[in-house]
Amino acid sequence: MRYRVNQEDRRPNILLITCDQLRSDYLGCYGADFMQTPNIDALAAEGRVYENAYSPNPVCIPARHNLLTGLTDRHHGFDDNYFGDEAKPLPYYLPTFPQILSDNGYDTCAVGKMHFQPERRMNGFDHFFNMDEVPPDREADDYMLFLKEKGYGNLQSINGVRHCLYMQPQRALMPEELHGSHWVADRSIQYLDEQRGRRPFLLWTGFIHPHPPLHIPDEWAEMYKGKLPAPSVPKTPLGLLAEENKTLGDLPTPEAVQRMREMYAAAISYVDFQVGRIVEKLKELDLYDDTLILFTSDHGEMLGDLGTYQKFLPYDPSCKIPFIVHWPKQVGAGERDPRFVDLNDVLPTFLDAAGAEYPDVYDLPGESVLGEGVKDRRYQYVEHQRDSKRWCMLRDERYKYVYSYGDDEQLFDMVADPQETENLLYGGGTPEMRAVADRLRQRLIRYEARYGLKGGIVNGDFEKRPRYQPILYWEENFPNFVKMLVKEGEKEALNDMLDEVLWAIEKEPTVKLSLNHTRDILQRAGYSEERIDALMERAKEQGNY
């Protein structure tokens, strides 16, 4: 049965599914034979896989604002994540794809992690069901309110323990059916059931996982035990920013690193299961063939490769992402496209599908992937950060060239060395490799001058800046919402945070609190030595010391 009220409106529904921090090579359809991702793989088999898709700025807030506006940080202002006192708003005057689609008659809905700044600004969504990693207060987060309604309002670590266990394997502190990934699918399915294609819709379903903390339901935690490849190892020294990233894992042994990789894989398979549930609802409502589905991510995760963790870096595990388009009416089944695409292409693609015009005159770096177009997809430009910390990168079919304003250049042969273990410019490089680098460098200057932060290119060349000084650090974010609880008895009703630390790792023996800066982090957070000593004693008893 078809539910569309306006039978004359044949524009497609649009479903955007994003995972946070999902690298493309951890999906079966991208060649990961060790992964179980049947539902995402099915979308790929019935649609088009872009084999060389990139995040234009591999960190959460910048990538998402590129996706939202189709513009780079030159316009939206987010060259990196900005939190706390540094937080700033997205300029109100920039058009966004949900706003444009809403103006053109689409019903627009966002569910899950968006990471907009300000967090609750809806940016063109008619319906908004928010789930933040570190909510500023309970009332601002729909998932937190849901947990409270279900009797889990005592939880502090609603999305896993961040601070001393950020990259550590851990178990979810709520039943599987209340986990955040399950809630995102539930709320998306509820929207589809209520909307039923009465008019074209845009639904953005945003999963936090596999972004750390890797808090996995028990039922999924063991599925990759001993089944994953080991991390890649560099043959030449890495850049300074990569050295800075090495501390973010805080994993003291190879066994701990491997277990973290297993939990990352489990988080992906758990999300894949939720994607399958959403697709089944589309089929049940007979909306599947009328819906353009785009599955992608904001950036990747180094996951211990090259000895590094998290994102921020110009290497493929950090910035290469999945990009799968499923739309039977325009995209053939089983298509594989090797051309470069990125998140800047999302806004133009959606407007193209909806027949909507871009309402401004900004120089959009992206273009719809639904036609041939004029964008030169032989090259891929990626940027990150500002001042001496800034780097920009250009890829062609074979080579990747990285220019760092405060560090040395890097060049990788992506055919002979796809894991980027050897910088071909280390020690100066051969004349042949220097010529390759100079060719890409000149083209990169043109991209940086057109799309990068203003001031980077002076008199046709990169501006000279002081050498960057790495700052080693650990994740130390405690729940923000606690200090905003003002009703009598609310704070007292919360679990003890140190109890939650122990509960999260009691089934994960590779986690050792004496080896991962737990004491330092808790000291800086104001915990007394007496309480920390008591935590360590309890950790000994359960095998996590």
Side-chain angles (χ1 to χ4, degrees), residues 18 22 36 65 99 104-105 108 114 177 179 206 249-250 253 264 305 309 355 359 409 429 469 474 490 538:
T18 56
L22 173 58
Q36 297 180 41
H65 284 85
Q99 170 210 320
N104 280 269
T108 57
M114 298 293 119
E177 65 272 15
H179 190 281
D250 216 10
T253 65
Y264 179 83
D305 282 321
Y309 302 90
E409 300 168 291
Q469 300 300 316
W474 293 266
E490 279 190 309
R538 294 173 64 193

Side-chain angles (χ1 to χ4, degrees), residues 14-17 107 109-111 188 191-192 201-205:
I14 298 173
L15 170 59
L16 171 62
I17 304 176
D107 192 58
C109 178
V111 177
S188 298
Y191 169 77
L192 293 173
F201 64 77
L202 160 69
L203 171 60
W204 183 350
T205 294

